[in-house]
């Protein structure tokens, strides 16, 4: 339905539509890549944020010992 | 700790200088000389006004007094410091949480969760992360890029798709103004600006735009404070008018009141509360125009050990919430 109508439109417009199609596909490419990047960033943040804080904290001065991470004292 | 240091980096208000300020400004110019002996009104240095409070904290005294974190059930928080800047926190909660529902009464869902958190607080960088047993992560990052520019990031990530939220804030602090730019997910863009107009009065404005719902709004705020009182007012194009007034009656006691009117839902709420900050405890109580009253007590049992009691009673909705808990560590 919608795809047939768009094919008809493409046939009629000819060269003009090709140029705009390339422009819109570049924008689509950028959008797809940025969505992919945001999804990966979300997963990385979800799993890596707390370990990152722990690594930064264990390396700050004065360096705490490893057992202090787990013991309640 | 670390975060308070970066707040202290704001320039302190300068004493009123005897240097020639623009004429007919200070009261001392208008009054005859004799009255100078009694109570000399301070000359206002209009070129050196203090830096205003950040826009989102404009009602912070009223919020601190009137909206404590009431809860129902058992709450236990343990914070263990490994370092001056690095600490881990463990928190257990067993009780009911309110879930807002479409019907007029809210749903209470019994929940129990354990939350693990790590904090790194440096004067220039603050990292706070909290993860719950169901996989939700609350992350906050605050970094001072330069003396005047701060970047903040706030995110709540969940395992369910499309429920995560994130927001970036860029704050710029000038000598007597602050401005902020916000970028959030769902194409949310917002900005606000607040300016000191006199040593006691600051005016601000905010504007936001929601991309996906094509909604935008603008709001204005004003804050007048002296040493003993704070009065704020906020008006927004979303139809909300919010006023608040906090009076510090003595070193230990302050009284606060708050009024909110929503034009679209024709909803009016007003509340009045007190805040007692005593040596061993902090007691906050409030009563609402909906007939609900609440109280929150934090009692210091020992160094670093706090006992918490929370109560909220609403006879009209037949909603009674009582909670107790302990907080160990700073």
């Amino acid at each position: 339905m919608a795809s047939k109508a768009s094919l008809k439109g493409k046939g009629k417009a000819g060269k003009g539509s090709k140029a705009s199609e390339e422009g819109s596909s570049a924008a689509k490419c950028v959008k797809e890549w940025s969505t992919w990047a945001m999804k990966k960033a979300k997963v990385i943040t979800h799993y890596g944020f707390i370990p990152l804080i722990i690594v930064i904290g264990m390396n700050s001065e004065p360096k705490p010992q490893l057992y202090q991470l787990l013991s309640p004292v | 700790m670390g975060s308070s240091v970066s707040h202290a980096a704001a320039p302190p208000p300068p004493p009123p200088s005897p240097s020639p300020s623009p004429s007919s400004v200070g009261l001392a110019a208008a009054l005859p000389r004799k009255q100078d002996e009694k109570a000399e009104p301070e000359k206002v240095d209009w070129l050196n006004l203090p830096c205003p409070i950040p826009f989102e904290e404009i009602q912070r005294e009223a919020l601190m007094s009137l909206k404590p974190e009431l809860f129902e059930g058992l709450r236990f928080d343990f914070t263990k410091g490994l370092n001056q800047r690095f600490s881990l926190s463990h928190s257990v909660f067993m009780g009911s949480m309110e879930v807002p529902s479409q019907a007029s009464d809210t749903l209470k869902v019994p929940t129990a969760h354990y939350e693990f958190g790590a904090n790194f607080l440096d004067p220039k960088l603050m990292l706070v992360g909290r993860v719950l047993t169901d996989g939700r992560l609350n992350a906050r990052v605050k970094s001072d890029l330069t003396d005047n520019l701060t970047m903040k990031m706030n995110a709540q990530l969940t395992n369910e798709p499309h429920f995560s939220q994130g927001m970036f804030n860029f704050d710029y602090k000038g000598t007597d103004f602050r401005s902020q730019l916000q970028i959030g997910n769902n194409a949310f863009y917002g900005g606000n600006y607040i300016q000191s107009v006199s040593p006691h009065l600051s005016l601000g404005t905010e504007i936001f735009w929601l991309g996906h719902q094509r909604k935008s709004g603008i709001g204005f705020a004003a804050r007048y404070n002296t040493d003993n009182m704070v009065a704020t007012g906020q008006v927004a194009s979303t139809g909300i008018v919010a006023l608040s007034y906090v009076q510090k009656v003595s070193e230990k006691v302050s009284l606060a009141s708050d009024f909110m009117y929503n034009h679209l839902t024709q909803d009016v709420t007003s509340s009045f509360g007190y805040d007692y900050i005593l040596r061993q405890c902090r007691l906050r109580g409030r009563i609402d125009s909906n007939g609900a009253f609440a109280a929150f007590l934090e009692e210091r049992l020992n160094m670093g050990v706090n006992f918490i009691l929370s109560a909220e009673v609403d006879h009209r909705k037949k909603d009674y919430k009582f909670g107790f808990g302990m907080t160990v560590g700073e």
Side-chain angles (χ1 to χ4, degrees):
Chain A
M1 303 171 322
S3 52
K4 277 186 191 167
S6 67
L7 279 172
K8 270 192 190 172
K10 273 187 192 168
K12 281 189 185 172
K15 284 182 190 172
S17 70
K18 254 193 188 175
S20 64
E21 193 186 305
E22 278 173 12
S24 67
S25 74
K28 267 188 204 170
C29 250
V30 169
K31 211 176 179 182
E32 270 179 36
W33 273 86
S34 70
T35 312
W36 176 88
M38 289 301 290
K39 282 196 178 161
K40 292 298 173 197
K42 185 210 161 214
V43 172
I44 291 176
T45 313
H46 204 153
Y47 284 104
F49 191 70
I50 298 235
L52 171 76
I53 300 182
I54 292 183
V55 162
I56 293 182
M58 294 299 279
N59 285 333
S60 65
E61 295 300 325
K63 274 202 188 166
Q65 306 283 332
L66 198 55
Y67 73 89
Q68 281 178 310
L69 263 182
L70 297 172
S71 86
V73 172
Chain B
M1 285 162 56
S3 50
S4 60
V5 170
S6 62
H7 272 290
S17 56
S19 62
S21 38
S23 59
S24 74
V25 156
L27 280 177
L31 285 177
R33 288 225 162 232
K34 279 184 204 166
Q35 297 199 355
D36 283 354
E37 294 153 359
K38 285 186 196 171
E40 185 171 335
E42 294 174 351
K43 250 191 167 177
V44 176
D45 188 359
W46 293 96
L47 298 175
N48 257 336
L49 292 172
C51 203
I53 305 278
F55 188 89
E56 62 264 11
E57 291 179 21
I58 204 168
Q59 291 199 336
R60 90 175 152 198
E61 281 87 359
L63 285 176
M64 279 197 321
S65 293
L66 289 173
K67 295 195 169 37
E69 288 178 6
L70 302 165
F71 60 96
E72 175 172 21
L74 162 75
R75 198 181 107 183
F76 179 74
D77 292 330
F78 173 57
T79 306
K80 177 180 156 64
L82 279 84
N83 200 339
Q84 210 190 10
R85 303 177 207 160
F86 177 50
S87 56
L88 297 174
S89 84
H90 307 266
S91 168
V92 174
F93 176 78
M94 292 188 268
S96 314
M97 301 243 297
E98 281 196 359
V99 173
S101 71
Q102 301 302 330
S104 60
D105 38 64
T106 50
L107 278 178
K108 278 200 206 182
V109 176
T111 48
H113 59 69
Y114 162 73
E115 182 186 73
F116 173 72
N119 314 327
F120 179 75
L121 303 166
D122 198 41
K124 292 223 159 175
L125 174 67
M126 180 185 99
L127 299 167
V128 171
R130 298 266 181 279
V131 66
L132 283 130
T133 40
D134 52 9
R136 276 184 289 161
L137 172 76
N138 268 345
R140 271 174 41 207
V141 175
K142 177 177 149 201
S143 145
D144 290 344
L145 301 173
T146 73
D147 268 346
N148 291 335
L149 184 63
T150 304
M151 180 191 85
K152 292 196 268 202
M153 187 207 83
N154 199 335
Q156 280 102 42
L157 304 177
T158 62
N159 277 331
E160 303 149 23
H162 301 299
F163 271 87
S164 311
Q165 295 174 339
M167 175 114 79
F168 272 95
N169 295 343
F170 292 95
D171 296 358
Y172 183 76
K173 179 178 72 177
T175 48
D176 60 357
F177 70 91
R178 280 187 205 250
S179 61
Q180 183 183 71
L181 173 67
Q182 296 171 313
I183 303 175
N185 73 334
N186 288 339
F188 170 83
Y189 299 98
N192 60 55
Y193 177 80
I194 183 164
Q195 165 92 44
S196 266
V197 168
S198 93
H200 301 296
L201 177 67
S202 43
L203 302 174
T205 171
E206 72 168 339
I207 177 170
F208 71 86
W209 186 64
L210 271 168
H212 287 188
Q213 295 159 1
R214 296 277 188 268
K215 265 203 282 192
S216 67
I218 186 169
F220 297 98
R223 178 185 157 107
Y224 183 83
N225 71 332
T226 64
D227 282 338
N228 289 336
M229 64 83 124
V230 174
T232 70
Q234 256 181 306
V235 180
S237 72
T238 49
I240 294 188
V241 175
L243 310 170
S244 81
Y245 179 77
V246 178
Q247 171 88 34
K248 189 169 153 186
V249 172
S250 81
E251 280 297 318
K252 303 185 179 182
V253 179
S254 55
L255 301 173
S257 69
D258 161 272
F259 170 85
M260 190 168 89
Y261 168 61
N262 191 339
H263 185 69
L264 299 172
T265 61
Q266 297 282 312
D267 203 14
V268 178
T269 308
S270 161
S271 62
F272 172 75
Y274 63 85
D275 188 353
Y276 278 73
I277 305 182
L278 307 173
R279 230 178 331 135
Q280 303 279 65
C281 78
R282 180 173 185 180
L283 176 61
R284 287 176 264 189
R286 84 155 186 255
I287 179 161
D288 227 336
S289 63
N290 300 329
F293 42 99
F296 191 83
L297 167 73
E298 290 161 286
E299 169 103 22
R300 201 189 90 157
L301 297 179
N302 204 346
M303 175 71 189
V305 180
N306 286 344
F307 178 63
I308 303 180
L309 284 176
S310 153
E312 185 178 358
V313 172
D314 190 347
H315 286 298
R316 215 186 281 179
K317 284 200 240 169
K318 298 219 184 301
D319 183 17
Y320 315 104
K321 295 190 339 194
F322 296 96
F324 65 100
M326 268 183 70
T327 305
V328 182
E330 316 86 53

